[in-house]
Amino acid sequence: MQGSVCDYYGSMVFDEQVMKEMLPQAIYEELVKTIKENSPLNIEVANAVADAMKEWALEHGATHFTHWFQPLTGLTSEKHDSFLAPQPDDTANLSFSGKELIHGEPDASSFPSGGLRATFEARGYTAWDPTSYAFIKDNVLCIPTAFVSYTGEALDKKTPLLRSMDAIGHEVRRVLALFGKEPTNVSITMGPEQEYFLIKEEDYEQRLDLLLTGRTLFGASPCKGQELEDHYFGAIRPTVNRFMQDLDEELWKLGIPANTKHNEVAPSQHELATIYRPANAAVDANLLTMELMRKLASRHGLVCLQHEKPFEGVNGSGKHNNWSISVDGANLFDPGSTPEENLQFLLFLTAIIKAVDEYQGLLRMSVATAGNDLRLGADEAPPAIVSIFLGDELEALVRSIIETTPYTTDGEKTMDLGSQVLPRLIIDNTDRNRTSPFAFTGNKFEFRMPGSQINLSDANMVLNTIVASALSNCADALEGSKDVELDAKAYMRQVLSSHQRIIFNGDNYGEDWTAEAARRGLLNLVSTPEALPQYIKPESIELFERLNVLSKAEVESRYEVKLENYSKKINIEAQVSTRMVRARYIPALIEFSTVVASGINTKRQALESLDLSQETALLTQLNEGLNDLIIKVEALDQALIKAQFIQGAQEKAEAYLAQVIPAMNALRSVVDEMEIIVGHDYWPVPSYNHMLFYA
């Protein structure tokens, strides 16, 4: 790195400091008011901001601008327009207006809409999100925007997220008003932890499955996996460390507070965590981070894999969503040293418990993808059952509220490590539960179910909305109370009594938890086709419409898009599977079995009395495997054809789940069995042993 980090941190971001330097004071104050208080932006301010933004972008080498948005693909999209404005006298000016800043018009016909738009209805609009700073990427000024249809429906991930932030912000203010507070700023904050794999580019290029699906559809388990527990937090390999340093520098230039990096549990798996920021900006930053990971890896001869399960038999990758609410800079989920006396904290905690229990199905739905189905419930990630971990102290406090019994605590505890040179450690009031899908971790909630490649907008939109609903219920119950403390305690007792089933502090990986969860009446939606109908339940639609987050049509469109995405991904995986088997594995088996057969014949001709039983058994095994492979690849063909002809989106997804995936797994089992007995030089693709362990 060149120079001090502080010198270049945020250098490619049109942030508040740049605005203050380049804008007239009155314009700057109006813009800050828009950002901090969500007030409308007028065109005069927009014109001044656009002019300053253009000058700043030109100084940093930008020649084009783009409205950077998040269609329902879950990825980001951009259409580049130059600042160049040809003049009648064949000269040119450089221009960028307030209208161009706040309003764009990309083609909306080629993005998924779930029926909101017909193919011939092409017009769509992008609208500037001033609360997420513009930045420069690849010499292009990128302006974070929302994306909507000609008729105003949200066609993106950002718009519903922003609406949900407005909804929860409104309800937070209502609850805080019970305590006589009128906050200036309510911010929903989020800090993601991004897990990923790095493999050598040359290995990646030899595997059609990785190229087209992001995961290995075949591969025998490596001789050494993660069983020695030697990779987690281990010394970072030089090649990987150079990539991480490169990534840090580029992220810091973009003002993305990359903070923690380390080796993860599986070989070749790593993690990057960022510091909290407003949820919409955090989502934008995470999408940028994922893009930069993919781009920068190639500089080091590597490929970054962000699929939830790129390798069978070792841990997959998640994206932990650390979520909280900040009010004028203070964290609402900080319990303080005496949480039993912190009525405000307890009311918000009660609302979280109520929200997660009432809408556990929606939370599970928000992270449902084909890739994440391979990870959830595999003793490496939370199960598909939603529950809340509070820790012993808070659970005891909740119990005391329900039972109206005194709450006692031992106060601050310290740990003596037995050596005079080591300090006494202050013990946190709760341990961490790495198996819980939704855990309180001291001053925030960690939602651990999201998969590594998803756009976190959906999860945060749902989380914001369900908590907003619970807070609205709380405000409705207590507004007008003559004794808020007394009535609040009665309200909490009633709510916590009704929703205590969602609290579980034990081992979510334990075999008995599934049965216990069923006894409690908790949902266990193990697959995406099972989870997605939660989106279109009448109570879900009522929730989104009541809080102005999504209309009925917008909910139904997202349900259709998610179903279609699931089926298409499995369809691609199945086609890649059959192609690889026919083009790579069957020829490899034929070649190697021919070599074995030739060897047997040569030996028999040289000395007829030789014992060739082992070679013959190997040849028989290879031939049986070859025959089995041909039978199973044809079975997958038939399952695929049947699924492709099903018309209903839900029924099609269920067919891919029930018929195509089992046929793929059966085919894989044969290939993986053959990999172990075929000579290394004859196997047509890099193995797990080769890909997961490199210098």
Side-chain angles (χ1 to χ4, degrees):
M1 296 183 187
Q2 300 297 317
S4 166
V5 172
C6 296
D7 291 338
Y8 63 78
Y9 184 83
S11 60
M12 304 304 284
V13 184
F14 192 77
D15 58 17
E16 194 168 328
Q17 181 178 340
V18 177
M19 296 175 198
K20 191 170 186 178
E21 291 174 357
M22 299 192 67
L23 294 173
Q25 182 67 22
I27 296 292
Y28 167 74
E29 290 175 356
E30 281 295 315
L31 183 59
V32 169
K33 184 177 180 181
T34 294
I35 294 171
K36 301 292 187 184
E37 301 179 19
N38 298 322
S39 60
L41 184 73
N42 65 54
I43 192 63
E44 290 80 10
V45 172
N47 281 328
V49 173
D51 189 61
M53 198 179 283
K54 178 201 70 178
E55 294 303 317
W56 172 80
L58 292 171
E59 288 174 7
H60 286 78
T63 57
H64 290 67
F65 69 91
T66 182
H67 277 196
W68 187 75
F69 59 99
Q70 303 165 29
L72 295 180
T73 58
L75 305 172
T76 60
S77 295
E78 49 197 68
K79 174 176 70 76
H80 300 174
D81 292 300
S82 75
F83 291 118
L84 202 67
Q87 301 299 305
D89 60 356
D90 292 332
T91 61
N93 290 336
L94 298 174
S95 69
F96 184 50
S97 68
K99 181 179 179 181
E100 290 172 307
L101 169 62
I102 65 177
H103 181 179
E105 192 180 319
D107 185 342
S109 64
S110 297
F111 293 107
S113 71
L116 281 177
R117 303 284 284 154
T119 301
F120 66 86
E121 296 174 320
R123 194 183 297 275
Y125 297 123
T126 49
W128 179 35
D129 172 14
T131 62
S132 184
Y133 297 134
F135 57 92
I136 294 174
K137 175 174 68 77
D138 299 329
N139 292 329
V140 176
L141 173 66
C142 298
I143 302 157
T145 59
F147 178 45
V148 298
S149 73
Y150 178 70
T151 48
E153 294 97 349
L155 294 175
D156 66 341
K157 303 278 188 179
K158 176 180 280 262
T159 302
L161 175 62
L162 290 171
R163 292 173 183 168
S164 74
M165 292 170 70
D166 287 345
I168 191 172
H170 174 73
E171 301 304 334
V172 166
R173 293 174 190 277
R174 288 183 64 198
V175 173
L176 290 180
L178 300 172
F179 299 90
K181 298 179 179 179
E182 297 181 4
T184 301
N185 176 256
V186 175
S187 179
I188 313 305
T189 61
M190 190 268 287
E193 303 170 26
Q194 178 73 50
E195 295 176 345
Y196 60 96
F197 281 81
L198 291 173
I199 65 169
K200 293 169 70 173
E201 203 165 29
E202 61 196 59
D203 293 337
Y204 175 80
E205 291 170 351
Q206 294 182 61
R207 298 215 40 146
L208 186 66
D209 46 5
L210 283 175
L211 282 165
L212 297 185
T213 74
R215 76 179 182 104
T216 54
L217 300 173
F218 305 97
S221 297
C223 299
K224 173 184 181 294
Q226 60 197 50
E227 63 271 21
L228 294 180
E229 302 173 334
D230 55 346
H231 191 256
Y232 190 53
F233 280 22
I236 299 171
R237 288 176 290 190
T239 302
V240 173
N241 198 42
R242 287 191 291 271
F243 160 78
M244 288 179 167
Q245 289 174 346
D246 200 3
L247 178 61
D248 277 342
E249 184 170 356
E250 294 303 317
L251 291 175
W252 290 337
K253 287 177 184 176
L254 289 168
I256 297 174
N259 185 53
T260 302
K261 56 186 179 183
H262 60 82
N263 288 345
E264 256 299 333
V265 173
S268 291
Q269 187 186 33
H270 314 281
E271 180 180 295
L272 172 77
T274 58
I275 297 172
Y276 304 95
R277 61 198 320 191
N280 60 316
V283 169
D284 289 353
N286 181 247
L287 292 170
L288 263 177
T289 298
M290 294 171 70
E291 179 184 333
L292 281 170
M293 284 178 169
R294 296 190 296 267
K295 281 184 178 179
L296 297 179
S298 63
R299 292 185 187 176
H300 304 272
L302 303 171
V303 170
C304 179
L305 303 178
Q306 295 169 346
H307 194 283
E308 283 80 9
K309 196 72 173 179
F311 301 101
E312 184 69 23
V314 299
N315 272 21
S317 296
K319 179 150 50 188
H320 301 168
N321 190 96
N322 294 286
W323 180 88
S324 190
I325 305 174
S326 174
V327 175
D328 291 338
N331 186 349
L332 281 183
F333 296 144
D334 184 353
S337 58
T338 54
E340 69 277 12
E341 299 174 4
N342 190 340
L343 184 60
Q344 177 181 291
F345 166 76
L346 292 174
L347 265 182
F348 279 93
L349 178 66
T350 298
I352 300 292
I353 293 169
K354 174 181 169 66
V356 174
D357 185 36
E358 282 188 341
Y359 296 104
Q360 52 186 278
L362 271 182
L363 265 187
R364 167 66 181 98
M365 179 282 304
S366 74
V367 300
T369 66
N372 212 22
D373 285 355
L374 299 169
R375 168 181 164 265
L376 294 178
D379 288 357
E380 64 190 59
I385 305 165
V386 175
S387 63
I388 294 179
F389 168 82
L390 294 180
D392 293 338
E393 183 173 341
L394 280 187
E395 186 179 30
L397 180 50
V398 167
R399 179 66 52 197
S400 74
I401 293 171
I402 293 172
E403 298 174 354
T404 62
T405 55
Y407 170 76
T408 58
T409 178
D410 296 332
E412 185 177 274
K413 302 176 185 177
T414 60
M415 182 184 299
D416 185 350
L417 300 181
S419 171
Q420 292 185 6
V421 73
L422 296 175
R424 294 180 69 87
L425 299 181
I426 297 174
I427 303 174
D428 290 305
N429 59 13
T430 179
D431 199 352
R432 287 182 180 269
N433 187 330
R434 307 306 291 173
T435 72
S436 175
F438 197 83
F440 183 73
T441 57
N443 61 0
K444 58 182 170 54
F445 286 91
E446 183 180 17
F447 186 29
R448 302 185 68 248
M449 295 181 83
S452 54
Q453 64 181 333
I454 72 167
N455 182 319
L456 283 171
S457 293
D458 287 346
N460 285 282
M461 178 270 290
V462 168
L463 187 51
N464 293 342
T465 304
I466 65 176
V467 174
S469 178
L471 291 173
S472 176
N473 179 269
C474 175
D476 288 345
L478 298 178
E479 282 175 344
S481 169
K482 295 181 179 179
D483 190 333
V484 170
E485 181 175 351
L486 182 65
D487 292 342
K489 288 179 178 178
Y491 172 80
M492 290 190 298
R493 187 181 314 113
Q494 179 267 318
V495 170
L496 293 173
S497 297
S498 300
H499 298 287
Q500 58 185 308
R501 66 174 183 170
I502 201 71
I503 301 170
F504 179 65
N505 280 354
D507 181 4
N508 294 72
Y509 294 168
E511 294 182 4
D512 55 346
W513 169 231
T514 301
E516 169 64 14
R519 187 188 66 76
R520 295 186 184 196
L522 301 181
L523 297 173
N524 186 9
L525 307 171
V526 297
S527 72
T528 294
E530 291 173 86
L532 290 182
Q534 296 289 320
Y535 219 159
I536 55 169
K537 291 174 66 176
E539 54 265 40
S540 299
I541 294 173
E542 185 278 332
L543 167 75
F544 289 121
E545 289 195 316
R546 169 165 47 89
L547 292 168
N548 298 313
V549 173
L550 290 168
S551 67
K552 183 174 186 288
E554 288 170 330
V555 171
E556 291 172 343
S557 74
R558 279 154 177 76
Y559 164 71
E560 292 289 334
V561 167
K562 285 178 178 288
L563 276 174
E564 188 176 85
N565 181 268
Y566 176 86
S567 295
K568 285 180 176 178
K569 285 193 172 181
I570 304 302
N571 188 71
I572 292 169
E573 289 184 351
Q575 292 189 89
V576 171
S577 295
T578 60
R579 183 72 59 88
M580 288 183 72
V581 166
R582 290 195 168 98
R584 305 301 294 272
Y585 297 123
I586 288 177
L589 281 174
I590 292 173
E591 181 183 9
F592 185 64
S593 60
T594 301
V595 169
V596 174
S598 177
I600 292 173
N601 286 333
T602 300
K603 287 184 177 184
R604 183 169 290 132
Q605 290 172 9
L607 186 60
E608 193 171 330
S609 63
L610 281 176
D611 180 5
L612 300 175
S613 60
Q614 295 303 316
E615 288 96 324
T616 303
L618 174 60
L619 182 59
T620 300
Q621 189 178 3
L622 288 167
N623 195 60
E624 289 175 349
L626 179 60
N627 291 335
D628 200 14
L629 211 54
I630 293 171
I631 291 170
K632 285 185 166 57
V633 78
E634 290 175 351
L636 176 54
D637 281 339
Q638 293 305 309
L640 196 54
I641 290 169
K642 289 179 182 178
Q644 289 169 340
F645 277 93
I646 294 173
Q647 296 301 309
Q650 181 69 40
E651 292 76 12
K652 183 188 285 284
E654 290 170 355
Y656 276 104
L657 174 67
Q659 277 86 48
V660 176
I661 290 178
M664 286 173 57
N665 292 339
L667 182 61
R668 175 177 188 149
S669 67
V670 179
V671 173
D672 293 355
E673 182 182 347
M674 292 297 101
E675 180 182 343
I676 296 172
I677 64 173
V678 171
H680 177 271
D681 292 340
Y682 295 88
W683 198 246
V685 298
S687 68
Y688 279 19
N689 286 324
H690 189 76
M691 287 187 289
L692 289 170
F693 300 92
Y694 59 88

